[in-house]
PDB file of all heavy atoms in Angstrom:
ATOM      1  N   ASP A  33     -86.569  42.944  14.971  1.00  0.00           N
ATOM      2  CA  ASP A  33     -87.722  43.057  14.080  1.00  0.00           C
ATOM      3  C   ASP A  33     -87.297  43.447  12.662  1.00  0.00           C
ATOM      4  O   ASP A  33     -87.320  44.623  12.295  1.00  0.00           O
ATOM      5  CB  ASP A  33     -88.715  44.096  14.637  1.00  0.00           C
ATOM      6  CG  ASP A  33     -90.012  44.104  13.844  1.00  0.00           C
ATOM      7  OD1 ASP A  33     -90.093  43.393  12.818  1.00  0.00           O
ATOM      8  OD2 ASP A  33     -90.949  44.827  14.241  1.00  0.00           O
ATOM      9  N   PRO A  34     -86.888  42.447  11.862  1.00  0.00           N
ATOM     10  CA  PRO A  34     -86.395  42.724  10.506  1.00  0.00           C
ATOM     11  C   PRO A  34     -87.424  43.445   9.641  1.00  0.00           C
ATOM     12  O   PRO A  34     -87.052  44.160   8.707  1.00  0.00           O
ATOM     13  CB  PRO A  34     -86.112  41.324   9.932  1.00  0.00           C
ATOM     14  CG  PRO A  34     -85.964  40.440  11.118  1.00  0.00           C
ATOM     15  CD  PRO A  34     -86.836  41.022  12.193  1.00  0.00           C
ATOM     16  N   ALA A  35     -88.700  43.313   9.944  1.00  0.00           N
ATOM     17  CA  ALA A  35     -89.739  43.968   9.143  1.00  0.00           C
ATOM     18  C   ALA A  35     -89.599  45.485   9.167  1.00  0.00           C
ATOM     19  O   ALA A  35     -90.046  46.167   8.240  1.00  0.00           O
ATOM     20  CB  ALA A  35     -91.125  43.550   9.631  1.00  0.00           C
ATOM     21  N   LEU A  36     -88.976  46.031  10.204  1.00  0.00           N
ATOM     22  CA  LEU A  36     -88.812  47.482  10.285  1.00  0.00           C
ATOM     23  C   LEU A  36     -87.947  48.015   9.147  1.00  0.00           C
ATOM     24  O   LEU A  36     -88.083  49.165   8.738  1.00  0.00           O
ATOM     25  CB  LEU A  36     -88.201  47.884  11.632  1.00  0.00           C
ATOM     26  CG  LEU A  36     -89.107  47.699  12.854  1.00  0.00           C
ATOM     27  CD1 LEU A  36     -88.338  48.021  14.126  1.00  0.00           C
ATOM     28  CD2 LEU A  36     -90.346  48.584  12.741  1.00  0.00           C
ATOM     29  N   LEU A  37     -87.067  47.157   8.623  1.00  0.00           N
ATOM     30  CA  LEU A  37     -86.216  47.553   7.506  1.00  0.00           C
ATOM     31  C   LEU A  37     -87.030  47.978   6.298  1.00  0.00           C
ATOM     32  O   LEU A  37     -86.606  48.828   5.514  1.00  0.00           O
ATOM     33  CB  LEU A  37     -85.313  46.380   7.095  1.00  0.00           C
ATOM     34  CG  LEU A  37     -83.975  46.248   7.796  1.00  0.00           C
ATOM     35  CD1 LEU A  37     -83.350  44.915   7.440  1.00  0.00           C
ATOM     36  CD2 LEU A  37     -83.054  47.391   7.383  1.00  0.00           C
ATOM     37  N   THR A  38     -88.198  47.352   6.134  1.00  0.00           N
ATOM     38  CA  THR A  38     -89.005  47.639   4.949  1.00  0.00           C
ATOM     39  C   THR A  38     -89.563  49.059   4.972  1.00  0.00           C
ATOM     40  O   THR A  38     -90.057  49.540   3.960  1.00  0.00           O
ATOM     41  CB  THR A  38     -90.174  46.650   4.823  1.00  0.00           C
ATOM     42  OG1 THR A  38     -91.035  46.827   5.952  1.00  0.00           O
ATOM     43  CG2 THR A  38     -89.690  45.210   4.797  1.00  0.00           C
ATOM     44  N   LEU A  39     -89.493  49.736   6.126  1.00  0.00           N
ATOM     45  CA  LEU A  39     -89.987  51.108   6.197  1.00  0.00           C
ATOM     46  C   LEU A  39     -89.005  52.100   5.574  1.00  0.00           C
ATOM     47  O   LEU A  39     -89.333  53.245   5.314  1.00  0.00           O
ATOM     48  CB  LEU A  39     -90.279  51.498   7.650  1.00  0.00           C
ATOM     49  CG  LEU A  39     -91.338  50.637   8.350  1.00  0.00           C
ATOM     50  CD1 LEU A  39     -91.481  51.055   9.809  1.00  0.00           C
ATOM     51  CD2 LEU A  39     -92.680  50.735   7.639  1.00  0.00           C
ATOM     52  N   PHE A  40     -87.802  51.629   5.350  1.00  0.00           N
ATOM     53  CA  PHE A  40     -86.810  52.489   4.701  1.00  0.00           C
ATOM     54  C   PHE A  40     -86.735  52.152   3.216  1.00  0.00           C
ATOM     55  O   PHE A  40     -86.902  50.996   2.823  1.00  0.00           O
ATOM     56  CB  PHE A  40     -85.431  52.288   5.346  1.00  0.00           C
ATOM     57  CG  PHE A  40     -85.362  52.764   6.764  1.00  0.00           C
ATOM     58  CD1 PHE A  40     -85.681  51.911   7.809  1.00  0.00           C
ATOM     59  CD2 PHE A  40     -85.000  54.074   7.057  1.00  0.00           C
ATOM     60  CE1 PHE A  40     -85.624  52.359   9.132  1.00  0.00           C
ATOM     61  CE2 PHE A  40     -84.945  54.520   8.366  1.00  0.00           C
ATOM     62  CZ  PHE A  40     -85.258  53.666   9.403  1.00  0.00           C
ATOM     63  N   ASN A  41     -86.442  53.145   2.422  1.00  0.00           N
ATOM     64  CA  ASN A  41     -86.417  52.945   0.968  1.00  0.00           C
ATOM     65  C   ASN A  41     -85.351  51.966   0.504  1.00  0.00           C
ATOM     66  O   ASN A  41     -85.515  51.273  -0.479  1.00  0.00           O
ATOM     67  CB  ASN A  41     -86.180  54.277   0.268  1.00  0.00           C
ATOM     68  CG  ASN A  41     -87.274  55.253   0.587  1.00  0.00           C
ATOM     69  OD1 ASN A  41     -88.438  54.870   0.691  1.00  0.00           O
ATOM     70  ND2 ASN A  41     -86.916  56.515   0.760  1.00  0.00           N
ATOM     71  N   TYR A  42     -84.251  51.907   1.253  1.00  0.00           N
ATOM     72  CA  TYR A  42     -83.141  51.085   0.799  1.00  0.00           C
ATOM     73  C   TYR A  42     -83.407  49.604   1.000  1.00  0.00           C
ATOM     74  O   TYR A  42     -82.588  48.776   0.651  1.00  0.00           O
ATOM     75  CB  TYR A  42     -81.854  51.458   1.531  1.00  0.00           C
ATOM     76  CG  TYR A  42     -81.888  51.233   3.024  1.00  0.00           C
ATOM     77  CD1 TYR A  42     -81.628  49.983   3.563  1.00  0.00           C
ATOM     78  CD2 TYR A  42     -82.164  52.286   3.883  1.00  0.00           C
ATOM     79  CE1 TYR A  42     -81.653  49.792   4.931  1.00  0.00           C
ATOM     80  CE2 TYR A  42     -82.198  52.089   5.240  1.00  0.00           C
ATOM     81  CZ  TYR A  42     -81.943  50.842   5.766  1.00  0.00           C
ATOM     82  OH  TYR A  42     -81.967  50.626   7.114  1.00  0.00           O
ATOM     83  N   SER A  43     -84.562  49.275   1.549  1.00  0.00           N
ATOM     84  CA  SER A  43     -84.809  47.889   1.955  1.00  0.00           C
ATOM     85  C   SER A  43     -85.019  46.926   0.784  1.00  0.00           C
ATOM     86  O   SER A  43     -84.998  45.725   0.977  1.00  0.00           O
ATOM     87  CB  SER A  43     -86.027  47.834   2.851  1.00  0.00           C
ATOM     88  OG  SER A  43     -87.149  48.239   2.113  1.00  0.00           O
ATOM     89  N   THR A  44     -85.212  47.454  -0.417  1.00  0.00           N
ATOM     90  CA  THR A  44     -85.439  46.588  -1.559  1.00  0.00           C
ATOM     91  C   THR A  44     -84.353  45.534  -1.675  1.00  0.00           C
ATOM     92  O   THR A  44     -83.169  45.856  -1.776  1.00  0.00           O
ATOM     93  CB  THR A  44     -85.442  47.413  -2.875  1.00  0.00           C
ATOM     94  OG1 THR A  44     -85.614  48.768  -2.540  1.00  0.00           O
ATOM     95  CG2 THR A  44     -86.511  46.933  -3.806  1.00  0.00           C
TER      96      THR A  44
END
Side-chain angles (χ1 to χ4, degrees):
D33 188 354
L36 290 175
L37 271 170
T38 63
L39 300 176
F40 293 89
N41 300 322
Y42 63 83
S43 64
T44 343

